[in-house]
Amino acid sequence: MAATPHQSRTSHRRILSLWFPRLAAEDMLRATPALAETPLAVVEMQGNLRQITSLNLAASARGLSRGQALAEALTLCPDLVTRPADPDRAAQVLAALRRWAGRFSPWVAEEGTDALLIDLTGCAHLFGGEAALFEQIHHDCADLGLSLCAGIADTPGAAWALARYAGGGGTTASRNGDAIDQEARATRSRAQRRHWVKGGPAPQPRSAAQGGIGRISPPGGLRQSLATLPIAALRVPPATAEGLARLGLRRIGDLWGMPRAGLARRFGQEVVRRLDQALGVEPEPISPAGAPLHFAARLSLPEPIGLEGDILAGLDRLLPVLCDKLRAKGRGARRLRLEMIRAEGGSERIEIGLARPTDRPDSLRALFALKLGGVEAGFGFDVLRLVATVSEPLHAHEHKGGWAVAAEAQLKAQAARAPGQALDDLVARIGARVGLERITREHPADSHIPEKTSSTQAAAYSQPASEWPAAKRPRPLTLFRPEPVTAPDMPEPPPQFRWRGRIFETRVAHGPERIAPEWWLDDPQWRSGVRDYWRVTTVQGPRIWLFYAHGGSISGGWFAQGDFG
């Protein structure tokens, strides 16, 4: 079966593709406008190679391109200014553009890191038609200082192709030795320039609107709009496009009469699938991003308030409303902010954090009460606003069986959770005073180095360790940084030594336990080489953990690192 009889199955669906080819670089230019005329490139590590992922117009004018190695780019443009890529910032900018694009259609999806797909079905007439909407989008992006390539078609694949390859604004096909069409176009272009120089009519510059019309495919005109575009516009891998070009198939229209079985056998199913998606034979749905969850409650007061009891009374009205909203979505608050707006202007803010997500008003009220003492009310607050800035899923527990069985199971579950809940409430109360980041807990770690057998984690964002692995050798109750000990420089335990200004006599010494440093790491604390640890019981009473360092890049000797109590 040949590829000719494909018919578009898209009835009245219209898709708009927005591509921002210089998004990362132009976002940095918004922060530093002084670099507008300077070649600027955003660089990202790709394996072991630093490549350009975005550049401004000045860098493009110097012959640089996306995907180019940084070393090659610096050879072509020695004064190139580079900035490291910031994926988090790029995601925030694209999300902001997605919200902006929601004014044209409620069906907006992000595509990659620099593009949007918009379903315009039934929306274009609200803006005066597709051409007027197209021009308005270009004007809005120009006001934002963003370069834009856009295309409208019946399918996402066709709109993607028009945005990047139609109107001369996209990436051109790769040049090869058999590119006769490229030579012919270049010859015709030179002939047109010569004709103009000799007195012919000057070529008219293309306006933004004219370029936009060239990237709008009329309804049902997919085949005519795609026929002249290069094979790369089908979103196939570059190797596939080059393989087809070697066979003389450089345009999408060259594939219309090709046998589908032969294409799939020679170049894989990807070519046939992308062709079907572009023509609407295979559906390609658009999955828009859901609206972000937002939990807030507001209370407007008829008269300003300033007493702590009055603020708590207003909080008692806000907390149940906010917790009901959280509970309806199966969420629990992790961080909350209470905004108190003064009658004369200005505001006060109180923020609290919790060790675990919760939807219980009583737990939240107690934490806010701890911080109300330092609030400056001025002439009073007339608006209170409570916002859950961070929320997490909070799964309810369901118990099977009859009413009595379920009630008994619920009581047992509450009793089992009571110790953990009490600890979480304690962490939250202390964190409200000193900060949650200052409350930590220890977790076991897999290492033979004594000081690395545990790791410190934030108590609010970690669970208590279920069990600690039993030590193969006795370990001291108190472990500290190695402290020098005055003793004879010999591997055997000294009969007498001086530590912390005191003289100790050895009664019993157990050991040695030899511990070697991690050879794959250069730890400054272990540059003294292999250590022999001894458990020394002194005549004076203390039981000390001593070790003798045999010396490495620095000299060794005797040190104390722990106390058995």
Side-chain angles (χ1 to χ4, degrees):
M1 179 178 178
T4 306
H6 284 315
Q7 299 295 331
S8 176
R9 299 181 184 177
T10 57
S11 55
H12 297 290
R13 193 184 184 199
R14 299 294 285 170
I15 306 298
L16 168 63
S17 176
L18 301 181
W19 178 42
F20 305 92
R22 310 180 190 279
L23 182 60
E26 290 174 341
D27 177 57
M28 293 184 179
L29 288 179
R30 288 165 59 89
T32 54
L35 297 176
E37 303 300 329
T38 305
L40 173 68
V42 179
V43 181
E44 185 178 13
M45 290 295 298
Q46 301 288 345
N48 295 327
L49 184 66
R50 289 192 296 174
Q51 290 184 342
I52 295 177
T53 58
S54 181
L55 38 81
N56 63 351
L57 284 171
S60 297
R62 300 287 290 272
L64 308 184
S65 60
R66 295 179 61 180
Q68 191 174 26
L70 179 60
E72 180 183 353
L74 290 174
T75 303
L76 297 174
C77 182
D79 58 340
L80 178 67
V81 178
T82 61
R83 294 289 186 271
D86 188 351
D88 295 335
R89 172 62 183 174
Q92 293 174 4
V93 173
L94 191 62
L97 290 173
R98 172 176 53 81
R99 293 191 294 270
W100 160 79
R103 61 179 297 197
F104 304 108
S105 171
W107 211 258
V108 184
E110 298 179 10
E111 185 183 28
T113 60
D114 56 1
L116 298 174
L117 275 177
I118 306 173
D119 193 336
L120 287 180
T121 306
C123 299
H125 70 280
L126 302 175
F127 302 89
E130 293 179 349
L133 181 145
F134 207 80
E135 186 172 359
Q136 181 178 348
I137 290 177
H138 276 83
H139 284 312
D140 290 350
C141 290
D143 293 339
L144 294 173
L146 299 176
S147 301
L148 173 66
C149 295
I152 298 179
D154 293 341
T155 63
W160 188 96
L162 291 174
R164 289 159 177 79
Y165 292 91
T171 307
T172 58
S174 58
R175 182 180 175 88
N176 55 67
D178 195 28
I180 301 175
D181 289 347
Q182 298 178 15
E183 298 290 347
R185 289 194 299 274
T187 303
R188 289 193 295 270
S189 177
R190 288 194 295 270
Q192 291 173 359
R193 291 198 299 269
R194 285 197 300 269
H195 180 68
W196 171 51
V197 171
K198 290 182 179 180
Q204 298 295 323
R206 293 177 57 187
S207 65
Q210 289 172 341
I213 295 298
R215 290 182 178 152
I216 298 179
S217 172
L222 288 177
R223 301 175 68 84
Q224 293 79 4
S225 301
L226 296 175
T228 59
L229 300 184
I231 296 295
L234 286 177
R235 298 175 291 175
V236 296
T240 302
E242 293 176 1
L244 289 168
R246 285 194 293 268
L247 298 180
L249 304 174
R250 302 183 187 87
R251 306 291 169 188
I252 296 179
D254 298 336
L255 301 179
W256 296 154
M258 297 297 298
R260 295 169 55 84
L263 283 176
R265 184 168 55 253
R266 179 70 180 272
F267 299 100
Q269 292 288 341
E270 185 71 8
V271 176
V272 178
R273 185 174 70 89
R274 290 300 191 183
L275 184 61
D276 289 344
Q277 288 178 345
L279 294 175
V281 176
E282 180 176 332
E284 187 176 3
I286 296 178
S287 301
L293 295 174
H294 181 71
F295 303 99
R298 179 188 177 99
L299 178 63
S300 297
L301 303 170
E303 294 291 338
I305 60 174
L307 298 178
E308 183 175 334
D310 294 339
I311 297 176
L312 288 175
L315 195 60
D316 289 338
R317 294 191 177 187
L318 291 175
L319 282 172
V321 176
L322 181 66
C323 290
D324 288 342
K325 292 182 178 181
L326 289 167
R327 204 172 294 114
K329 295 292 185 179
R331 311 281 294 188
R334 280 298 297 265
R335 297 196 68 88
L336 295 100
R337 181 175 68 243
L338 176 62
E339 301 175 358
M340 297 164 284
I341 303 175
R342 298 190 187 96
E344 71 276 14
S347 64
E348 288 280 331
R349 292 187 176 187
I350 295 178
E351 293 192 8
I352 63 170
L354 296 103
R356 293 290 177 271
T358 184
D359 57 1
R360 297 185 297 118
D362 54 339
S363 300
L364 302 175
R365 184 185 190 278
L367 298 178
F368 278 115
L370 292 174
K371 290 194 170 186
L372 283 178
V375 171
E376 293 291 339
F379 290 100
F381 304 114
D382 57 0
V383 175
L384 301 180
R385 186 170 183 264
L386 184 62
V387 184
T389 55
V390 179
S391 65
E392 294 180 0
L394 188 64
H395 303 289
H397 296 270
E398 181 178 353
H399 305 283
K400 297 182 180 180
W403 181 87
V405 176
E408 183 180 358
Q410 185 175 4
L411 291 176
K412 291 182 179 179
Q414 290 177 354
R417 292 196 301 269
Q421 187 64 49
L423 178 60
D424 294 340
D425 292 343
L426 176 62
V427 170
R429 287 196 301 271
I430 299 176
R433 293 185 176 274
V434 301
L436 284 175
E437 67 281 355
R438 297 188 178 183
I439 307 175
T440 60
R441 58 165 55 104
E442 297 296 316
H443 277 248
D446 186 12
S447 178
H448 69 282
I449 303 298
E451 59 267 27
K452 295 183 179 180
T453 55
S454 65
S455 62
T456 303
Q457 302 182 13
Y461 300 96
S462 62
Q463 295 287 347
S466 57
E467 59 181 13
W468 282 78
K472 297 181 181 179
R473 299 286 184 92
R475 288 292 181 260
L477 295 177
T478 305
L479 192 68
F480 42 80
R481 294 171 63 90
E483 299 177 359
V485 171
T486 303
D489 189 8
M490 58 182 185
E492 290 76 17
Q496 190 179 44
F497 59 92
R498 185 182 184 89
W499 174 56
R500 292 184 178 178
R502 296 177 57 189
I503 297 178
F504 296 90
E505 296 180 2
T506 302
R507 171 178 290 178
V508 180
H510 298 276
E513 177 187 355
R514 176 160 292 187
I515 298 179
E518 297 170 320
W519 56 267
W520 58 92
L521 296 177
D522 183 18
D523 190 346
Q525 300 295 329
W526 280 78
R527 291 177 180 173
S528 56
V530 178
R531 301 175 179 178
D532 288 340
Y533 282 86
W534 295 82
R535 303 191 306 276
V536 177
T537 303
T538 63
V539 175
Q540 289 74 15
R543 300 175 61 228
I544 308 172
W545 206 32
L546 300 181
F547 70 83
Y548 178 78
H550 290 266
S553 58
I554 61 175
S555 59
W558 283 96
F559 297 85
Q561 195 178 357
D563 186 359
F564 287 91

